[in-house]
Each structure stands twice: as C-alpha cells, then as structure tokens.
Amino acid sequence: DAWKADAVFHQVVTSRQLGQLAASLGGWSGARVAEDQVWIKPPGAGPLVFHRDSPYFDFEPDDVITIWIALDDMTMDLGPLEYVVGSHRWGGRRGTAAQFFDASHRQLMEDAARHEGIHPNEIDVVPVLVPQGGAGCHNGRLWHGSGPNQSKRCRRGLGIHFVPEKVRLWMKPDFKLLEE
C-alpha cells in the first residue's frame, strides 16, 4: 500500500489511465486496485521463484492484471523481471508464497511446462529490460520471476495488481471465522 504513504506513489497507483489500461488488457468494463507493492532487490540478492499472481488472490473472478513499473533502468545484472512467453495459457498449476525464494527458482514453472507437454529447453523466457519509468504488464496467469541481482545497485519497482471492477472476495466453502 505504498499509495497510502507517498503522494507520488498515490498519484501513480490511482492513475485513471493505468486503471483504463488494465481494464482494456483484461477485457473488463473497469478495474480496481487490489494491491500495490514496492519491490526492492538489493545487491547480491538471490532469484525470485517463477510464479503466477492469480493464485495468491481470493477473488472471483480470479483475473488479475499486474503493471510493474521500473524505478531504475533494468539491466540483466540487476536480475530483472522475466516473463515466460505464452504461459498464461497453461493449466492451473500453483505454488505457495513459501516457495518464493527456493534455490531452484525455475522448478515450479518447469514442472508446469512439463505438465503441458513442454520440455524446459523449449521455454521462451524474456527479460523486461526497460528504462526507469518503463513498465511490464502481465496477465495474472503468466509465469514470471527473476534472477539474482549480481550488480552493486538495488533493483526497484512498483507493482500494481488490478482486478475487475465487479470482483468479489471468494472464501473456501469450509472457511470459518475464529471465535473470540
């Protein structure tokens, strides 16, 4: 919730143009901000496990569009965001947040690819190499992650997760509130 702490982040996260872009990309009539985050990967930080965003939100529908804005010029040595081309069409394999920093940062994604009949050598991974202020936009079902930061600089970015304007919170049928 960086938008609550800083006027510039507030202006960016609540931008009507970004909301319209997310709605257009998602094929929705309108969009809402579900969450925003500032991500900082310090020098020497390890990789981030390839994952999908949609499974981490309990919404119905489970559509998510993420707009990631680079706060620094992205170069390969920073361990930039990387997208797996076409992976938003793969089946619904999931991971957990506990796996975000596993040593084998490609394992979940490669297992999902194998499940789809795709050999790991056939996976097309593209880095999001954009200048400061540039952005990457992705469907919440797209597999993405990043390599280690091998530079002497921090890699910083602002991620904004948008959902359809008429989204509803979904709870598992066996969900029970804790009693006081």
Side-chain angles (χ1 to χ4, degrees):
D1 291 339
W3 71 271
K4 293 178 182 178
D6 182 89
V8 174
F9 284 132
H10 181 273
Q11 184 178 10
V12 173
V13 172
T14 61
S15 161
R16 182 175 303 276
Q17 290 85 1
L18 281 184
Q20 290 170 340
L21 173 62
S24 176
L25 291 170
W28 313 325
S29 57
R32 300 171 68 170
V33 173
E35 176 183 54
D36 69 281
Q37 299 171 311
V38 174
W39 290 305
I40 300 173
K41 184 183 278 195
L48 179 65
V49 166
F50 278 80
H51 63 283
R52 291 174 153 177
D53 294 335
S54 290
Y56 298 99
F57 292 95
D58 293 326
F59 293 128
E60 187 160 309
D62 68 350
D63 296 340
V64 176
I65 295 293
T66 300
I67 298 178
W68 181 84
I69 302 170
L71 301 178
D72 300 292
D73 292 336
M74 291 297 112
T75 58
M76 284 306 295
D77 61 333
L78 283 172
L81 179 63
E82 296 177 316
Y83 291 154
V84 180
V85 177
S87 63
H88 61 290
R89 292 188 221 102
W90 298 357
R93 306 268 301 190
R94 296 179 158 209
T96 69
Q99 297 167 304
F100 264 28
F101 301 100
D102 281 357
S104 178
H105 77 289
R106 293 175 59 113
Q107 189 64 50
L108 285 173
M109 177 264 297
E110 289 178 355
D111 288 347
R114 283 187 195 92
H115 190 263
E116 294 295 313
I118 301 168
H119 189 277
N121 291 342
E122 299 170 340
I123 296 170
D124 187 12
V125 178
V126 294
V128 181
L129 298 175
V130 295
Q132 180 182 37
C137 303
H138 63 268
N139 180 303
R141 293 179 188 91
L142 184 86
W143 285 89
H144 60 284
S146 64
N149 183 349
Q150 299 172 333
S151 77
K152 292 184 179 5
R153 301 176 293 133
C154 284
R155 185 201 85 177
R156 301 171 301 163
L158 172 65
I160 309 166
H161 301 292
F162 290 92
V163 294
E165 68 179 337
K166 296 184 195 255
V167 74
R168 294 175 4 137
L169 181 62
W170 176 84
M171 290 189 196
K172 295 178 182 176
D174 61 347
F175 178 83
K176 293 183 179 152
L177 290 174
L178 296 175
E179 294 185 33
E180 293 183 36

